[in-house]
Each structure stands twice: as C-alpha cells, then as structure tokens.
Amino acid sequence: MKKHKHFHFSTGVIAYPLFFVLFIWVIFWAEVRFGFRLSKYGIYPQSLKGLRGVLFSPFIHGSIKHLAHNSVPLLVLSTALFYFYRSIAWKVLGYGILVSGFLTWCIGRPSYHIGASGLIYVLVSFIFFKGVFAKHYRLIALSLLVVFLYGSMIWYTMPIEKGISWEGHLSGLITGLLFAFIFKKSIAKPKKYVWEQPDYNEDDDPFLKHFDENGNFIEHIEPEVEEEQESIIISYSYKEQKNEEN
C-alpha cells in the first residue's frame, strides 16, 4: 500500500482545522465590530430564500458563548478527521455542510437555524460509525473516545430544550451515518509488520535466528558465517602473497 494511505501526521492535520475555526471567529468578530446582522443568512426551512443558509449557516453564530461551545469539538473532531481520513476529509466537511443543511431545511421549524453544531454532529456520527464499520482497532478506539467525549450529545437530537436546533443535530447525525456507508472503503490502514504478512515463515526470519528456542540471545556467530569470513581472508592472503612473489 502506498505510503500516503497510512496514518501519519503532517502540518495539514492541525493547520486546516485551526484555520477553519479561526475563519469562523473572524466572521463573528466582523459581525460584532461592524454591526452586521448575519442571522438572516441562516437556514430558514421550506423557504426558497432560506436555502442560502445551507451554505452559510455553519459560519454564523448568535453569541460568543454559542461560538465558544462549538469551537472546541469542531477543532478536535476535524483534526481527527484529517489524521485518520485525510483522503476524504474535505469531502466529508464540504458535503457534510450541504447535506445536513439541506435536511435541516427540509425538516426544520420555521425559524433561522445557525451555527456549526450540525457539522459537529456530522463529524461525531461519521467518526463513530466509520470506526465501527472499519473493524480496525485504532479506529474503534477513536470511536470509543468520541462516545466518551461527546456521547451525551445524542440527547440534543430530540426536542428537549427550547431554542436549540435539534433538527440540525439530527440531520448531522443522519448525514454522518450515511457518509460512513458511502465512504466505506476509503480508510487508511496501518503498515503491516513482517510477521503479519500471509506468507510469513518464522523459520526463515533472519532476526529470530539470533535467538534460541527459549528466547535467549545467541551471542556467537553462526558457523557458516565464520567459514565465509575465513574463506575471504584466505583468498585475499593468497592473492597478496602471489603478488609479492611476482
């Protein structure tokens, strides 16, 4: 398997999520600084004009508390996305915004739906289900970590608190699950060690030849190696001696 398909860290893993979150903060700063009212660019369900919110709503927040609550999970989850699923990270983010936003537009109440929480639910759902479907220990561990950190978010996919877009959360959850099926084969795999290869033969492993059957290190050199070294020395000495005679 090609190197880029394995898990490995690069500057983009943290840089892209960080710039993404900072961009949202810059938009909020500009809104406060210049007195813009961007809430009207959010998703307004069943309204043609409200469709523009499908694209803009993740970048609009109602308060600094709202933005702060979304920033940390967005940064953490998007970083995990770029590390473990680098080849499809931008697809998950881009299509996640569009699909979850459109679903919110379809099922939402007649009100403006804003904030990046819908995208956060896309990432939580995708990372969790993708790890389960992949049956890979690292990805399963990541899924369990996501459940531990953000498992309680499942309650907010139901109308339990006024003023929260549970429709956006539910849409994100459904979208993430859908993406876990669609991108089923697009996962990185770790490099296999030599003993994990199907054609591996323990008796032919040159490393294991340095140990006895009890696992003790064999300090002396193999006889065949000594003979090979000796033959080389003798051959060289004979040639050197022949040159001296001439």
Side-chain angles (χ1 to χ4, degrees):
M1 183 172 287
K2 294 182 180 180
K3 185 177 180 180
H4 69 276
K5 292 187 177 181
H6 300 300
F7 302 136
H8 65 281
F9 185 83
S10 71
T11 54
V13 170
I14 186 63
Y16 295 139
L18 186 60
F19 285 139
F20 187 71
V21 173
L22 286 176
F23 180 68
I24 297 176
W25 274 91
V26 169
I27 292 176
F28 181 78
W29 171 84
E31 183 179 13
V32 174
R33 175 66 177 81
F34 300 105
F36 297 144
R37 184 176 176 81
L38 300 180
S39 297
K40 61 182 180 181
Y41 292 97
I43 299 172
Y44 198 93
Q46 292 91 52
S47 168
L48 187 61
K49 190 177 181 180
L51 271 174
R52 63 187 179 185
V54 170
L55 182 61
F56 298 135
S57 61
F59 306 97
I60 305 171
H61 291 79
S63 66
I64 193 170
K65 182 180 179 181
H66 184 202
L67 177 55
H69 284 174
N70 283 343
S71 295
V72 174
L74 184 60
L75 179 62
V76 172
L77 293 168
S78 55
T79 299
L81 178 71
F82 274 94
Y83 180 75
F84 290 97
Y85 305 103
R86 184 171 319 183
S87 62
I88 57 173
W90 286 114
K91 292 181 180 179
V92 173
L93 286 177
Y95 293 143
I97 290 174
L98 297 177
V99 176
S100 64
F102 181 72
L103 288 178
T104 303
W105 183 85
C106 292
I107 67 174
R109 292 162 289 174
S111 179
Y112 287 106
H113 297 252
I114 60 174
S117 55
L119 179 59
I120 292 172
Y121 274 81
V122 172
L123 297 178
V124 169
S125 177
F126 173 77
I127 292 173
F128 172 74
F129 288 110
K130 188 67 171 173
V132 173
F133 296 156
K135 297 179 181 180
H136 182 273
Y137 71 95
R138 291 188 187 179
L139 301 180
I140 292 175
L142 178 63
S143 298
L144 296 176
L145 180 61
V146 167
V147 170
F148 176 75
L149 294 176
Y150 304 111
S152 60
M153 292 172 59
I154 189 67
W155 298 109
Y156 294 99
T157 59
M158 296 175 282
I160 61 174
E161 188 171 337
K162 187 178 180 180
I164 291 181
S165 178
W166 64 269
E167 300 95 329
H169 299 168
L170 180 60
S171 298
L173 185 70
I174 294 172
T175 301
L177 175 59
L178 180 65
F179 285 0
F181 279 109
I182 293 176
F183 300 114
K184 193 171 183 179
K185 295 182 179 180
S186 302
I187 63 172
K189 294 185 181 295
K191 295 179 180 179
K192 284 189 175 183
Y193 294 100
V194 63
W195 55 82
E196 295 180 299
Q197 301 296 337
D199 57 347
Y200 171 70
N201 187 350
E202 187 175 287
D203 296 332
D204 297 333
D205 193 327
F207 177 76
L208 294 181
K209 290 182 179 181
H210 292 278
F211 298 86
D212 60 22
E213 58 184 8
N214 296 321
N216 299 317
F217 181 71
I218 303 175
E219 296 184 2
H220 68 277
I221 303 176
E222 297 273 342
E224 60 269 22
V225 176
E226 289 183 343
E227 291 177 1
E228 182 180 355
Q229 290 181 345
E230 185 178 0
S231 63
I232 294 174
I233 295 172
I234 292 174
S235 176
Y236 179 81
S237 300
Y238 173 77
K239 183 178 179 181
E240 187 179 52
Q241 183 179 0
K242 187 174 180 181
N243 290 336
E244 289 178 356
E245 290 177 355
N246 294 334

